[in-house]
Amino acid sequence: MFIKQEKFLLNDIPAILWGEFTNKIYLYIHGQGGCKEEAGLLADLICGAGWQVLSIDLPGHGSRKDVINSFDPWHVVPELVSVLKFAEAHSETVSLFANSIGAWFSMLSFKGAQIKNCMFVSPVTDMKSLILKMMHSAGISLEQLQKERIITTSSGQIFSLDYWNYVLKNPVTDWNVPTKILYGGKDNLIDRCVIEKFCKKFNCSLTVMENGEHWFHTEEQLDFTCNWIKRNIGK
């Protein structure tokens, strides 16, 4: 099915508005390594059901790969706030679809917003625990980070004291949006207990694909994702 695509700049942010005009819109927020074009999967599934999809390139991604040192919450959050304002001005109903770290950025940006429905895939729900896990795997202590402020590992992973301090000062404590989560049983990045704790705290619906990974990309995983989206799109 052909889906109309309107490409434009939203406050200098490359964006795509998918589908014919309607009064309902889903914001699509990609994860690390993603781009606005990957929202085509969601658009194919829901634009024929009365929705539009609005996707953007986060800093350092897609057509913004030349924007360096800005894939962090103090750059991303103000951008997402402006994206939400645009969506609210052009639609009566706003819902949210986000992947991985895109979910964390979204929760920081949209707390208190009137979002109708939310779907998270492999969401980062506790950035503090994730950073500690990654630092442990890299053999880096908090004492080292506090002393050196920025540490780059041999794999290219960067740990920043400024980022760590931001995370400590901005925990996700308020998320009152009806939320459905898809999680892969073989996710090697996000621990299952962390997702289950978040779901219990904020009364979220959890679907686990035992053969799923953090990145849902195989044919089987994508089929599972599509069926999950169809069941949870909302009205």
Side-chain angles (χ1 to χ4, degrees):
M1 180 177 67
F2 172 77
I3 303 295
K4 178 183 176 182
Q5 297 181 38
E6 179 186 348
K7 297 184 178 182
F8 65 105
L9 289 178
L10 195 168
N11 297 333
D12 295 324
I13 304 168
I16 303 177
L17 185 61
W18 307 74
E20 300 295 335
F21 175 77
T22 177
N23 62 356
K24 299 189 297 182
I25 195 168
Y26 255 93
L27 298 182
Y28 184 99
I29 311 301
H30 66 75
Q32 187 164 2
C35 63
K36 62 186 180 299
E37 284 78 13
E38 70 182 36
L41 175 67
L42 179 66
D44 284 343
L45 294 172
I46 73 172
C47 284
W51 291 89
Q52 285 186 293
V53 175
L54 175 62
S55 59
I56 63 165
D57 283 329
L58 293 175
H61 292 72
S63 56
R64 304 177 73 191
K65 287 184 178 179
D66 59 335
V67 181
I68 61 174
N69 300 324
S70 56
F71 191 60
D72 52 56
W74 50 92
H75 284 98
V76 172
V77 168
E79 289 193 357
L80 292 188
V81 169
S82 70
V83 170
L84 176 63
K85 288 181 179 178
F86 175 89
E88 290 175 332
H90 289 77
S91 181
E92 295 178 8
T93 300
V94 178
S95 288
L96 171 66
F97 187 105
N99 282 292
S100 191
I101 194 173
W104 181 64
F105 286 144
S106 296
M107 289 187 288
L108 292 175
S109 307
F110 303 150
K111 53 187 176 183
Q114 296 299 309
I115 295 176
K116 181 73 172 180
N117 188 49
C118 173
M119 289 186 280
F120 285 159
V121 179
S122 304
V124 175
T125 58
D126 186 342
M127 182 59 79
K128 178 182 176 181
S129 70
L130 176 58
I131 292 176
L132 289 174
K133 178 180 179 178
M134 295 173 68
M135 287 178 61
H136 177 75
S137 297
I140 297 171
S141 67
L142 279 175
E143 290 74 19
Q144 284 178 275
L145 185 62
Q146 290 166 347
K147 181 180 180 180
E148 300 182 36
R149 298 194 65 86
I150 296 179
I151 299 174
T152 303
T153 68
S154 58
S155 65
Q157 178 66 51
I158 299 174
F159 295 97
S160 159
L161 183 60
D162 287 342
Y163 203 112
W164 172 253
N165 287 335
Y166 182 98
V167 169
L168 294 183
K169 293 177 182 178
N170 296 275
V172 176
T173 58
D174 179 20
W175 186 246
N176 297 315
V177 178
T179 300
K180 292 85 175 177
I181 292 177
L182 175 59
Y183 175 78
K186 295 182 178 180
D187 192 321
N188 61 359
L189 189 65
I190 310 297
D191 292 335
R192 187 165 180 162
C193 62
V194 172
I195 292 292
E196 291 175 341
K197 180 180 179 181
F198 179 86
C199 288
K200 183 177 181 180
K201 181 176 182 179
F202 295 111
N203 195 30
C204 305
S205 167
L206 175 62
T207 299
V208 178
M209 180 185 183
E210 296 298 345
N211 290 329
E213 304 163 82
H214 186 74
W215 177 36
F216 282 71
H217 65 287
T218 69
E219 183 177 353
E220 179 188 13
Q221 291 165 358
L222 291 175
D223 285 345
F224 193 99
T225 302
C226 288
N227 289 327
W228 174 79
I229 290 172
K230 292 174 184 177
R231 294 195 307 271
N232 292 286
I233 182 176
K235 298 180 180 179

